[in-house]
Amino acid sequence: MDHKLQVATKITEALAGLGVQDFPFEKVSSMLETPPNPAMGDIAFPCFQLAKALRKAPPAIAAELAGAISGAPLKEVQVAGPYINLFLDQHVVGTDIISAVLTQGNAYGSSEDGQGRNVPIDLSSPNIAKPFSMGHLRSTCIGNAIANIMEKKGYTPVRINHIGDWGTQFGKLIVAYQKWGDEAKVKAEPIKELLKLYVQFHDEVANDPTLEDQGREWFKKLEDGDAEAQHLWEWFREESLKEFMKIYELMDIKFDSTNGEAFYNDKMDRVVTMLEERNLLTESDGAMVVMLDEFDLPPCLIKKSDGATLYATRDLAAALYRHETYDFAKAVYVVGGEQRLHFQQLYKVLQKMGFDWAYEMYHIPFGMMLKDGKKMSTRKGKVVLLEEVLAQAIADVKKVIEEKNPTLANKDEVARQVGVGAVMFHDLKNYRLNDINFSLEEMLTFEGETGPYVQYTHARACSLLRKGNYQPTTEPTLAEGALDSKEAWAVITALSQFPDIVDRAAADFDPSFIGKFVIDLAQLFNKFYANVRILAEEEDVKQTRLQLVAAVVIVLKEGLRLLGLKAPEEM
């Protein structure tokens, strides 16, 4: 029940009664505002735009129009100069909102907009033989949350981990392993040892530039199917994936496909042929390109002068494969902002090829994860390993539990949910284009805008329901006046906004809408908890307030779930 739309309908009808024809429902609805101060009402309607139609001053119009607006869900209508301030009936609206949440449960805020259609989401995509760093966290968390949000909107997300398992770096790694590698060490700690070799290669290049040529030679051997190169590449890939899967398991993130770059090796010739057939290829300095002058973009490089295909060719092949395999409604790529030009070129080439579905492909960029204000670099070995961060976060939370609640059941599981959740939430509460500074201390505090704060609020609300012997119901009957406080009304108002927040997060492919919302809801609930006696009241008042608490539990848990976090009932 959208009370804002009900109010818009009433205003539209009142305007029609005054003979105003040019203000249909959609326009009136878009003009509604939220007053800066709750004392000024729940909804405000400015009358400036009506001055021309009615040939009167806005304050006079406001006074006249206000007299024609009344009835549920409104309790009071006030005039404040050129504004009409509308106050909703807290009992009526509270009953509607709490009923909607308790009846629908975790489906509250869901829709069938997507009609079950597929949305492939390219996320995470770490590089083989390199550690899963904090830098990869962003694509992983944001992509997983977008998948959850799209599913809530009725789409079928397809999580694709487009592993970086091809390229010249594998030639370099093969050279480094042959020169300085130790099989036993690699087997014991694959990622750490392979990273060490990769960093050593780049250190040694300064003294011996021929190493670069050797790296290129070995990658050419790999491309040509050389047995030794193939064997080492497969081994590096397998060991790396095992390590990555441990991290994904910890974060409870699953994939529908782990087809990496190498998967498309035999699918790129077809792309080149298709471009040739459409007369889209142009020769430039011996290379083959698609010109994009009409879009003010540089040419898209398809084949180098030596005949080697490039990232763009591979991604064109991947896009075709995904459309043919999934017949997608939208295709989403959660990849850092530095790849913006690459994706602009990719989509324009597909559009020039005549594929209308390319207009539904979206690059979702995000800011960098910084350490002490600086970018992390694998090549220089300046990297914070996600596995170590998660392990530390879990250990720190376990320590807090041992101090504060040593008898807690499932301590290890709760420590994992809160520790891992803290790291993920720190990323997701931020607008995705902003850079984030890594700070474990900031992530783990139980105060302020953090995952543990929201999870603890959820656990506190669950505890209240247990203590109050709350009886679940899908047909709440609210005791008159039980939710008349400003604190209760602020919580009800927030709950009513959740479906709209989900819509905005889906439209912008930005989970931070949900992150900010659960923080706000948790803060408003804690004010309600601090200022209103919930348990020590008459039974009907107590049950009414517990019904509001139960609604908060449902929405907080669902908000956290959309972000990929768990909501422990005890902490």
Side-chain angles (χ1 to χ4, degrees):
M1 181 69 66
D2 194 323
H3 301 97
K4 212 167 186 180
L5 296 185
Q6 286 181 296
V7 170
T9 303
K10 286 187 176 296
I11 295 172
T12 307
E13 289 168 355
L15 285 168
L18 294 176
V20 179
Q21 303 301 326
D22 298 336
F23 283 79
F25 169 80
E26 290 75 18
K27 189 167 184 180
V28 169
S29 186
S30 70
M31 289 166 67
L32 296 179
E33 298 176 2
T34 301
N37 181 346
M40 296 161 73
D42 301 298
I43 300 168
F45 182 72
C47 296
F48 303 104
Q49 290 185 44
L50 294 164
K52 192 175 176 185
L54 289 171
R55 299 189 178 179
K56 289 181 183 173
I61 297 169
E64 188 177 351
L65 186 58
I69 305 168
S70 63
L74 292 168
K75 188 175 187 179
E76 190 183 347
V77 179
Q78 291 180 0
V79 177
Y83 285 89
I84 299 171
N85 289 338
L86 305 124
F87 294 79
L88 295 171
D89 185 314
Q90 296 189 15
H91 186 76
V92 170
V93 173
T95 302
D96 285 348
I97 298 299
I98 293 169
S99 294
V101 178
L102 297 184
T103 305
Q104 295 170 38
N106 60 6
Y108 179 64
S110 299
S111 73
E112 289 305 317
D113 292 359
Q115 300 176 315
R117 292 196 64 195
N118 291 324
V119 178
I121 299 169
D122 193 315
L123 70 148
S124 196
S125 310
N127 291 316
I128 294 302
K130 289 186 189 174
F132 201 120
S133 73
M134 284 300 292
H136 291 110
L137 175 74
R138 300 223 65 195
S139 172
T140 309
C141 287
I142 294 168
N144 184 58
I146 287 172
N148 292 336
I149 292 162
M150 297 311 285
E151 190 170 35
K152 193 162 179 74
K153 291 288 292 173
Y155 293 94
T156 302
V158 182
R159 292 171 174 82
I160 297 174
N161 196 352
H162 187 78
I163 300 283
D165 61 0
W166 204 248
T168 320
Q169 71 266 31
F170 290 99
K172 294 175 181 180
L173 196 60
I174 289 168
V175 171
Y177 177 72
Q178 287 172 331
K179 285 185 179 296
W180 314 295
D182 179 324
E183 186 180 351
K185 282 184 180 176
V186 172
K187 280 185 172 167
E189 289 188 304
I191 300 284
K192 277 189 180 169
E193 198 56 32
L194 291 172
L195 172 65
K196 203 167 107 186
L197 291 170
Y198 186 72
V199 171
Q200 187 172 351
F201 180 93
H202 286 281
D203 288 343
E204 298 282 348
V205 162
N207 305 319
D208 182 3
T210 64
L211 285 171
E212 289 280 6
D213 296 328
Q214 292 175 48
R216 277 192 285 274
E217 279 166 29
W218 271 98
F219 180 57
K220 184 77 173 69
K221 286 184 183 181
L222 178 59
E223 286 189 303
D224 295 342
D226 176 88
E228 188 182 353
Q230 189 77 20
H231 164 72
L232 286 172
W233 174 79
E234 283 175 5
W235 182 45
F236 295 158
R237 189 181 194 277
E238 196 182 314
E239 292 296 342
S240 297
L241 273 175
K242 277 188 214 160
E243 293 294 301
F244 294 158
M245 291 321 290
K246 287 183 201 166
I247 294 168
Y248 293 131
E249 210 172 294
L250 210 51
M251 297 167 76
D252 197 23
I253 293 175
K254 296 176 176 64
F255 295 95
D256 302 293
S257 163
T258 51
N259 289 336
E261 292 175 21
F263 177 77
Y264 298 100
N265 281 346
D266 62 353
K267 298 171 180 59
M268 290 189 282
D269 287 347
R270 177 186 171 214
V271 172
V272 177
T273 303
M274 290 170 86
L275 289 167
E276 282 169 348
E277 287 170 354
R278 289 164 172 78
N279 296 316
L280 291 172
L281 284 182
T282 305
E283 191 177 333
S284 173
D285 297 328
M288 301 307 287
V289 303
V290 176
M291 301 303 290
L292 299 171
D293 294 354
E294 67 269 45
F295 306 111
D296 291 326
L297 291 173
C300 181
L301 202 51
I302 300 296
K303 239 180 177 178
K304 287 197 284 195
S305 52
D306 64 1
T309 48
L310 291 124
Y311 270 129
T313 331
R314 194 178 300 276
D315 277 353
L316 288 167
L320 283 164
Y321 175 84
R322 288 173 192 179
H323 189 260
E324 287 162 1
T325 307
Y326 304 115
D327 185 27
F328 55 70
K330 305 168 193 279
V332 178
Y333 294 79
V334 187
V335 181
E338 64 276 9
Q339 295 294 322
R340 195 182 302 267
L341 174 62
H342 168 73
F343 284 106
Q344 286 175 331
Q345 292 176 311
L346 182 72
Y347 302 159
K348 292 304 179 191
V349 170
L350 288 165
Q351 287 164 21
K352 283 186 80 160
M353 290 173 83
F355 298 122
D356 287 346
W357 45 263
Y359 291 96
E360 290 298 335
M361 296 175 74
Y362 301 90
H363 172 215
I364 310 304
F366 50 84
M368 289 186 293
M369 179 71 76
L370 307 175
K371 179 84 171 79
D372 304 322
K374 297 189 183 104
K375 186 180 176 182
M376 301 176 189
S377 166
T378 313
R379 186 173 290 189
K380 293 175 184 165
K382 289 180 180 172
V383 71
V384 178
L385 301 185
L386 179 57
E387 190 175 13
E388 291 174 4
V389 169
L390 294 176
Q392 187 63 55
I394 293 166
D396 288 357
V397 172
K398 181 96 184 283
K399 206 169 154 193
V400 173
I401 292 172
E402 293 290 5
E403 286 169 14
K404 307 270 171 138
N405 192 4
T407 59
L408 177 69
N410 306 321
K411 274 189 278 203
D412 289 342
E413 181 60 12
V414 172
R416 186 187 71 80
Q417 292 177 353
V418 177
V420 173
V423 175
M424 293 169 74
F425 191 86
H426 181 71
D427 186 316
L428 294 169
K429 72 177 182 182
N430 290 285
Y431 174 50
R432 62 174 163 75
L433 284 173
N434 290 350
D435 292 341
I436 296 178
N437 204 46
F438 169 73
S439 164
L440 192 56
E441 193 181 345
E442 198 181 310
M443 292 174 188
L444 289 172
T445 175
F446 282 72
E447 300 296 325
E449 301 181 352
T450 68
Y453 171 76
V454 178
Q455 288 171 314
Y456 182 69
T457 302
H458 173 269
R460 168 184 269 177
C462 289
S463 169
L464 265 175
L465 296 180
R466 289 192 297 272
K467 284 180 189 164
N469 192 27
Y470 167 69
Q471 302 305 313
T473 176
T474 52
E475 293 181 18
T477 309
L478 305 190
E480 198 71 49
L483 298 177
D484 277 358
S485 67
K486 68 178 189 296
E487 290 85 4
W489 181 237
V491 174
I492 291 165
T493 303
L495 292 172
S496 74
Q497 293 162 352
F498 184 59
D500 184 48
I501 294 291
V502 173
D503 287 349
R504 286 161 68 190
D508 286 11
F509 299 107
D510 192 348
S512 71
F513 283 104
I514 310 273
K516 291 184 178 77
F517 171 82
V518 292
I519 290 167
D520 290 344
L521 180 58
Q523 289 172 339
L524 292 169
F525 171 78
N526 283 322
K527 279 183 190 163
F528 170 65
Y529 174 83
N531 291 288
V532 177
R533 292 180 74 185
I534 297 169
L535 299 181
E537 293 284 354
E538 298 83 6
E539 189 60 24
D540 60 340
V541 172
K542 181 181 89 170
Q543 284 304 324
T544 295
R545 290 175 182 167
L546 285 175
Q547 283 165 1
L548 178 58
V549 175
V552 169
V553 165
I554 288 167
V555 175
L556 275 184
K557 184 177 182 179
E558 180 61 4
L560 287 169
R561 184 193 73 79
L562 291 175
L563 296 175
L565 275 75
K566 297 288 187 286
E569 294 191 7
E570 290 185 72
M571 275 170 72

